[in-house]
Amino acid sequence: MNAVGSTQRLELRQGPALTLTPELLQSIGLLQLSHLELCAFVEAELERNPLLQQAEVDAAPPVSSPASAPPASQVDGTGRLFPFVPARRREAAMAKGAGSSGGSIPGEAREDLEAVAAQPLSLAAHLDAQLALATADPVLRAIGHDLVHSLDEAGYLRDETDAVARRLGRPLADVEAALALVQSLDPPGIGARSLSECLSLQLRERGRLDRPMEILLARLDLVAKGDLAALARLCGLGEAELRARLAEIRRLDPKPGLAFSSAALDLLVPDVLVREDPAGGLAVELNPETLPRLLVDRSYYARVRPAARSEADRTFLTECLRSAQWLARSLDRRADTVLKVAAAIVRHQEAFIRQGADHLRPLTLRAIAEEVGLHESTISRVVANKALGTPRGTIALKLLFGAALTGTSGEAHAARAVQERIRRLVAAEEPGQALSDGDIARKLDEAGIRVARRTVAKYRETLRIPPVSRRRRPI
């Protein structure tokens, strides 16, 4: 028998890789910000950077699109024009950049601080503040920041870690370490990738995650069915102990992120507007009311830099110009991306916008991602904390997405459209004739929508409709 030899060799390969820079993180993070959060962010940049200033509100018309890509931003004599908020005095930013120390807070600044303090804290801001204290490693902190801004409203990470690693150009081990760091933050259960992991994190934080609990969380299907006999055999527990543990699991929070749900959408200020165009179609445009103007003042830079007295001042001005240009490009890309995604959503949901909730179509993030040529996580960030102004009212963009239910003839129905049918059926109940979940399921089946009774019960609970026993009224 011939021995199989083995050799080792060192190869150097060259290939493209995405470097995780602060600018890239800023560009990614801007997509997820609501209008109010974006205003606060840009206000801080205007305060810090003397090369950013307010432009006239009527300097440019709203950016619009007939369900297609938006036109290029306008350019004026001093720089590119971008949508945003009022600036502070450039002299204050210059003094700050040159290293001067401040005294008392002026009245206007104090009012700004009070306004910021009165705003509800978002989940991302809450986690970012903890992340800054949790590690001094800049790589872990940067990846953690990206993960924090990838969480959905309930606090779950829907992206696969290997996909995040490829997107950021970092080793998978770094992403896993950063995710473990995020999952150690408050509230417990944040950053989970599944319900089982979310509950596990909460039990581990309480010191209650032993082997029987792990088995229960691994078989949540049996927990949902109430199969106590099978669970008792798997866990090796008596009935009383098993019931106590199940009660403990039910007291956990399956959606820990909802406690920080942004109040900005309570006001439903539309970021994008939909209107009828002269040809009878729907035109989509960015809301000019939420888009004051911001420009990069190159002429001011050209005047001030030659007069700078020290290398520190010149470096500060150069960094301000670079930062302002990057911010401007990031805001421009954000506006283009939001408009492109909103136009694609409107194309899919045109029947809903024109005719109402019964005509809402099933729609997924992946479908929009494939249509506009962006990553699914990018679509998730665009949809987060944004609202669409339509002739039927202002609607959160995320409400236009939903899973599909198959009808009796094979057609697909949006889950939210089915919920609206359930709501109307209950609203039309006669005294003494309240519909049970089974009755509602049969009526939906007669309308061509096949829905299981337990699904009806889930949708009814989502709509906060009490069960039939509490809806029965005397005739």
Side-chain angles (χ1 to χ4, degrees):
M1 179 182 294
N2 295 328
V4 179
S6 62
T7 60
Q8 293 182 341
R9 63 180 180 177
L10 181 64
E11 289 186 356
L12 182 63
R13 295 185 180 181
Q14 185 175 5
L18 187 62
T19 303
L20 190 64
T21 63
E23 290 85 358
L24 175 60
L25 288 172
Q26 179 192 79
S27 183
I28 293 173
L30 286 177
L31 279 176
Q32 193 164 0
L33 298 182
S34 67
H35 163 60
L36 294 180
E37 291 171 333
L38 191 59
C39 285
F41 172 81
V42 176
E43 179 72 15
E45 289 297 308
L46 289 165
E47 188 75 33
R48 182 188 67 82
N49 195 329
L51 301 183
L52 294 172
Q53 68 176 64
Q54 180 186 8
E56 295 298 327
V57 173
D58 58 353
V63 181
S64 63
S65 169
S68 62
S73 298
Q74 295 191 354
V75 180
D76 70 0
T78 56
R80 298 184 69 185
L81 200 58
F82 298 94
F84 277 98
V85 293
R88 295 292 175 218
R89 293 174 301 175
R90 292 179 296 187
E91 293 79 3
M94 279 294 294
K96 185 186 302 181
S100 62
S101 59
S104 60
I105 302 176
E108 185 180 10
R110 187 180 303 110
E111 292 174 1
D112 291 340
L113 289 174
E114 291 171 353
V116 171
Q119 294 179 3
L121 187 65
S122 68
L123 174 63
H126 177 68
L127 295 175
D128 274 336
Q130 297 177 70
L131 193 62
L133 300 175
T135 180
D137 187 330
V139 174
L140 281 183
R141 187 180 294 179
I143 299 174
H145 176 85
D146 180 84
L147 293 173
V148 162
H149 287 268
S150 298
L151 302 180
D152 66 12
E153 187 179 28
Y156 284 80
L157 179 66
R158 302 303 182 184
D159 297 342
E160 297 292 337
T161 51
D162 56 350
V164 175
R166 288 194 301 272
R167 174 163 54 82
L168 299 180
R170 302 299 307 180
L172 179 59
D174 287 355
V175 175
E176 294 285 359
L179 178 58
L181 184 64
V182 170
Q183 291 179 343
S184 70
L185 304 178
D186 178 78
I190 211 72
R193 290 158 290 185
S194 66
L195 175 60
S196 177
E197 185 177 29
C198 177
L199 302 179
S200 295
L201 293 170
Q202 295 179 51
L203 289 170
R204 181 181 295 118
E205 193 270 342
R206 300 180 181 188
R208 294 286 297 156
L209 187 62
D210 54 12
R211 181 58 182 165
M213 280 296 196
E214 290 177 349
I215 294 173
L216 289 176
L217 295 180
R219 297 308 308 268
L220 289 177
D221 57 328
L222 296 178
V223 173
K225 292 177 182 178
D227 193 344
L228 299 184
L231 290 172
R233 286 195 304 271
L234 290 171
C235 299
L237 299 175
E239 183 178 347
E241 176 65 14
L242 177 61
R243 289 183 180 278
R245 287 175 179 266
L246 291 176
E248 184 175 1
I249 289 175
R250 293 188 180 98
R251 288 194 294 270
L252 301 175
D253 187 356
K255 297 180 179 180
L258 292 185
F260 295 84
S261 182
S262 174
L265 275 180
D266 291 343
L267 302 176
L268 284 181
V269 178
D271 301 87
V272 182
L273 302 176
V274 179
R275 58 176 176 79
E276 292 275 355
D277 65 19
L282 293 177
V284 182
E285 67 182 26
L286 297 175
N287 183 2
E289 296 297 326
T290 61
L291 299 176
R293 312 294 180 218
L294 177 74
L295 63 84
V296 180
D297 194 345
R298 297 175 183 272
S299 62
Y300 181 74
Y301 173 80
R303 291 197 311 271
V304 173
R305 193 178 189 284
R309 298 180 180 180
S310 66
E311 183 63 28
D313 290 344
R314 287 190 289 272
T315 300
F316 170 71
L317 286 168
T318 301
E319 174 61 25
C320 283
L321 179 62
R322 187 194 64 80
S323 176
Q325 290 173 332
W326 182 271
L327 176 60
R329 287 193 296 269
S330 296
L331 297 179
D332 195 23
R333 284 194 296 269
R334 179 186 186 274
D336 288 353
T337 304
V338 169
L339 189 58
K340 182 192 300 184
V341 171
I345 294 172
V346 169
R347 281 196 294 272
H348 280 269
Q349 302 292 9
E350 181 175 354
F352 161 73
I353 292 172
R354 293 183 182 278
Q355 301 176 55
D358 284 350
H359 299 272
L360 189 67
R361 294 177 54 191
L363 186 60
T364 63
L365 295 175
R366 177 171 296 180
I368 295 297
E370 292 174 352
E371 180 172 334
V372 301
L374 296 172
H375 193 274
E376 192 173 340
S377 63
T378 302
I379 306 301
S380 177
R381 288 185 174 89
V382 172
V383 170
N385 306 315
K386 310 293 189 308
L388 185 70
T390 75
R392 307 192 68 83
T394 303
I395 306 162
L397 276 178
K398 64 182 180 181
L399 297 181
L400 299 178
F401 290 83
L405 297 174
T406 303
T408 54
S409 59
E411 75 278 14
H413 298 272
R416 294 189 188 280
V418 176
Q419 291 178 19
E420 175 62 18
R421 285 177 177 266
I422 293 173
R423 186 192 65 77
R424 290 210 305 268
L425 285 171
V426 172
E429 291 174 342
E430 296 292 335
Q433 297 180 1
L435 299 172
S436 67
D437 294 338
D439 294 334
I440 294 173
R442 284 190 290 274
K443 286 185 175 292
L444 291 175
D445 187 70
E446 293 170 1
I449 305 172
R450 182 175 294 124
V451 182
R453 185 199 59 78
R454 62 179 178 275
T455 304
V456 171
K458 182 181 72 173
Y459 287 171
R460 176 179 52 74
E461 292 170 359
T462 299
L463 295 168
R464 298 182 180 179
I465 297 174
V468 62
S469 60
R470 293 173 51 193
R471 301 201 314 273
R472 287 199 176 101
R473 302 185 299 273
I475 301 176

